[in-house]
Structures are given as structure tokens and as C-alpha cells.
Amino acid sequence: MDGDRMEIDGGIMEGVSTSGGLASSSAEGPVVKNLSCLLGLPVRVQRIRAGRSQPGLRPQHLSGLEMIRDLCEGKLEGGEIGSTEITFTPGKIKGGTHIADTKTAGSVCLLMQVAMPCVLFAATPSELHLKGGTNAEMAPQIDYTVMVFKPIVEKFNITFNCDIKKRGYYPQGGGEVVVQLSPVKELSPINLTDRGTVTKIYGRAFVAGALPIKLAKDMSAAAVRCIRKEIRDLYVNIQPVREPDDRACGTGSGIIVVAETSTGCLLAGSSLGKRGKNSDKVGIEAAEILLKNLKHGGTVDDSLQDQLIIFMALAKGVSRVKTGPITLHTQTAIHFAEKLTKAKFTVTKSEEEDPSKDTYIIECQGMGMINPNL
């Protein structure tokens, strides 16, 4: 702490990384920016993305930071592309309509993670117009956000709507998603400790732009074959789709496969196509990620793990989530959530009947954030 300002080293742990859960200050690091905004705590972040081949802020980090600045009428110093140090001084969170445009294929899903906790504690409902990549590398795909993140996060007593207006792919982006959110008085804690049994497996394999539907069918068939080897008794329904031309910008392909359990858990695997990558390989990659997530016995998959940390920290009461091995993103998110709030996390190895399972319980005594505006 420096006076009333929090000093953050963006190079710590994974510091300022690129994928969603981040710790840090690049605008992808939802934890620091949200908590700064919610707690009214100024922060200075140095050594942003210090270890990267391109250090400093990238375009999508900057659009995330600028959106947070606008959401809470804050002040941002050092906000330019390539900057390795920023100072952010928050003001009062306000609802209403906000627009963030990465102008690249920067991920709209990461922008949503950046903005969402803040606007939950606004005085009025919010509508976020997020522009960029909807199905981009190094970030959750929008299908994952809608099919997995949304229903699980709503267990914290949140309701939101996510409307995919247009899909955008690497390199030009051009996608748009509109998120509508109502504010909450407080967040309820969650208890996700019982995985249950897998009851259905479904998904979508998509192509857009110049690519033939045959690629989607090949991805789907390869994923189904791969899952069948491990799980024989369930119908696997992966729909091949071609995105309508007026609802997609550019050319892209990919697949998401979701497993739903008897206790309402949702776990997924996904993969994106790219030039020169065999479509069977894309399907198999997604299936293998799903199977790996099912194998560890956790109630959430490895991508969702770190995304839940900020909500657990803000909730009122004790949250418990059973997971597979703790990811670096999650460790980083916990580090900053504890540093900035009064939330307390403990991670313990889960005592399983089945010794082949590598599971952990993340428990959090939340800080019990109350919305002062409601």
C-alpha cells in the first residue's frame, strides 16, 4: 500500500497474462480492476505483461481498461498500447449503456469478465455492447460463455442476458455481443461439491465465411468418435452448423462439447480451427479436453475455475467448489482477491474414495459486498 493506493506488480505469478483469469492489470485481469472499481481503491500496476514477447498493454487490454474507467467514471493514466504501467483511480459505478470495441479480434468474452462484477453493483441495469472476437484464441469462446459460464455464475444470484448479434474471428474481429445485466443487492455463496453422473453430452461444430459445412461435420464426427471410446452408453449430440453470412464477420471454424451431470454441473472442451489444421484434429482436441475435465472428478472444468474466484470473494457467506488441479490463473486470482478484499480462501486436497481422482476443494469466506445503491 502506498498511502491509500494499492501497488500491484504485474509481473508476479503469471502477472498479466492473456487468458481471462488473470491476475493482473492488463485489461484482461478482471480481478484487480473490478475490485479496484468496487472498493473505490486506486491502484498502480507496474511491469504489465513483463515476461511477454510483446510486453505492455495490447488493444483488448486497453479497451477493457477504458470500459472499466467509463463504468465507474474513473481516471486512467498510462492507458496506451504498449504501456507497462498504469494508474487507475475509480469513481462511482454507473449503470446504463456502455460500449467497448477492441477494434481487433480481442475477446469479447474477456471484456465481459472485466465489466460484469462491477456493473452488478451499479444503481441501475446495464447494457454492454462488446465488439471484437467472439471465437478467438487464448480466451473462452462465446459459446462457452453462454453454455457453461452463464448458467453456473447465475447460481450466485445473478441474472443476465447475452445476445450474440454477430460472430467475429481472428484476425479482423468484427463480432458484437450485447449483455444485459440487472444489479444485485448482494451475491449468494455457491456450493458446487457434488459432481453427480454425466447425463448428456452435446455441442456445436461451426463454420463461417468461406468454409464448407463438411468441415463442421468432420469436426463433429471426430469428437463423437473420440468420446465414444471412453463413454459408450450416452448419445452424443454435436450439431454441425454454418453461421449465416449476415451474423458472422470473416472466416472461422471451431467446436464446443459440453457434458451435463445429474447435479447440474456443466463441463466443456472446445477448440478452434485454423489454416492448415486438420478438422478431425480440432474435433479430437475439444473431446480430449472434455474427457480430461471429466476424469479429474471436479464439478467445474479448468477454464471456469479461475472465473469463479471474484464472485466467491464478493459473495456473502462461504462458497465451496470442487475442482481438478488448481490452475495458475486460479492461484493468481486468489492471490489478488485476498490482497484486495477481506475474503479468505483455503484450498485443500479433496478426500476421495477413488484415489485416481486429483480433486481439490476451494473454500472462500466471502467479503459480503453490499450494493450501496440499492
Side-chain angles (χ1 to χ4, degrees):
M1 283 289 202
D2 167 24
D4 286 334
R5 184 171 72 190
M6 177 69 86
E7 296 286 333
I8 300 279
D9 176 357
I12 191 171
M13 297 171 90
E14 63 179 354
V16 197
S17 113
T18 55
S19 91
L22 327 196
S24 104
S25 63
S26 61
E28 284 179 37
V31 174
V32 169
K33 289 185 294 297
N34 271 295
L35 293 174
S36 164
C37 193
L38 288 164
L39 302 170
L41 179 67
V43 289
R44 179 167 69 170
V45 188
Q46 295 168 294
R47 300 206 320 134
I48 292 172
R49 290 167 47 87
R52 294 302 173 114
S53 56
Q54 290 184 299
L57 296 173
R58 307 303 310 138
Q60 73 267 28
H61 305 141
L62 188 56
S63 42
L65 279 169
E66 289 170 343
M67 180 170 58
I68 286 263
R69 176 196 66 198
D70 299 343
L71 286 175
C72 69
E73 300 182 314
K75 289 211 299 283
L76 174 64
E77 294 160 51
E80 51 265 343
I81 291 168
S83 172
T84 57
E85 180 177 325
I86 56 138
T87 303
F88 178 65
T89 310
K92 183 178 180 345
I93 301 172
K94 59 177 203 272
T97 301
H98 298 279
I99 297 171
D101 186 352
T102 66
K103 302 187 176 59
T104 64
S107 168
V108 296
C109 305
L110 295 178
L111 287 176
M112 185 172 125
Q113 283 179 33
V114 169
M116 194 170 153
C118 274
V119 294
L120 287 171
F121 291 90
T124 54
S126 301
E127 188 170 281
L128 308 173
H129 292 250
L130 310 176
K131 299 177 184 185
T134 57
N135 298 78
E137 290 284 0
M138 298 297 293
Q141 295 191 46
I142 192 66
D143 306 271
Y144 181 89
T145 302
V146 171
M147 294 165 79
V148 178
F149 173 82
K150 180 180 188 292
I152 302 296
V153 162
E154 287 183 333
K155 295 178 191 288
F156 287 100
N157 176 36
I158 295 166
T159 37
F160 72 99
N161 187 43
C162 182
D163 184 12
I164 305 167
K165 296 284 187 204
K166 197 168 210 176
R167 289 169 177 270
Y169 311 100
Y170 182 81
Q172 75 267 51
E176 182 179 3
V177 172
V178 177
V179 180
Q180 291 164 315
L181 263 151
S182 295
V184 293
K185 183 70 189 162
E186 60 191 21
L187 296 179
S188 309
I190 59 167
N191 186 21
L192 295 177
T193 49
D194 180 7
R195 223 290 285 285
T197 54
V198 177
T199 53
K200 46 182 161 176
I201 296 179
Y202 52 90
R204 74 194 296 271
F206 67 87
V207 291
L211 300 174
I213 186 74
K214 182 184 182 310
L215 291 184
K217 291 177 177 166
D218 290 349
M219 288 188 284
S220 167
V224 170
R225 283 196 303 275
C226 181
I227 292 164
R228 285 266 162 75
K229 287 183 194 147
E230 303 278 326
I231 302 172
R232 290 180 187 81
D233 50 349
L234 273 183
Y235 175 62
V236 181
N237 178 17
I238 304 171
Q239 291 286 316
V241 289
R242 187 171 191 292
E243 307 292 5
D245 288 338
D246 59 342
R247 302 289 298 270
C249 179
T251 295
S253 65
I255 182 172
I256 177 166
V257 193
V258 178
E260 192 172 314
T261 78
S262 54
T263 52
C265 299
L266 296 163
L267 300 96
S270 63
S271 180
L272 286 171
K274 52 175 181 249
R275 188 167 296 180
K277 187 171 170 185
N278 177 316
S279 47
D280 282 23
K281 187 168 181 261
V282 181
I284 290 166
E285 204 167 82
E288 285 178 343
I289 294 169
L290 174 64
L291 292 168
K292 179 171 148 276
N293 279 314
L294 290 174
K295 206 180 217 100
H296 60 53
T299 62
V300 298
D301 63 37
D302 298 348
S303 306
L304 193 65
Q305 217 185 79
D306 64 90
Q307 296 179 50
L308 298 178
I309 297 302
I310 187 162
F311 298 102
M312 293 168 76
L314 294 170
K316 185 182 180 180
V318 177
S319 291
R320 300 179 78 230
V321 179
K322 184 191 251 184
T323 69
I326 307 294
T327 65
L328 181 56
H329 281 320
T330 299
Q331 292 171 35
T332 309
I334 289 173
H335 171 85
F336 286 108
E338 288 194 323
K339 183 169 171 151
L340 288 153
T341 71
K342 295 194 165 59
K344 282 305 318 148
F345 284 85
T346 52
V347 177
T348 47
K349 183 95 170 73
S350 174
E351 297 303 320
E352 287 292 325
E353 304 75 69
D354 181 350
S356 72
K357 299 273 189 248
D358 192 10
T359 55
Y360 297 80
I361 301 277
I362 303 176
E363 187 170 288
C364 173
Q365 174 67 58
M367 67 170 284
M369 179 85 187
I370 303 280
N371 189 334
N373 304 300
L374 291 189

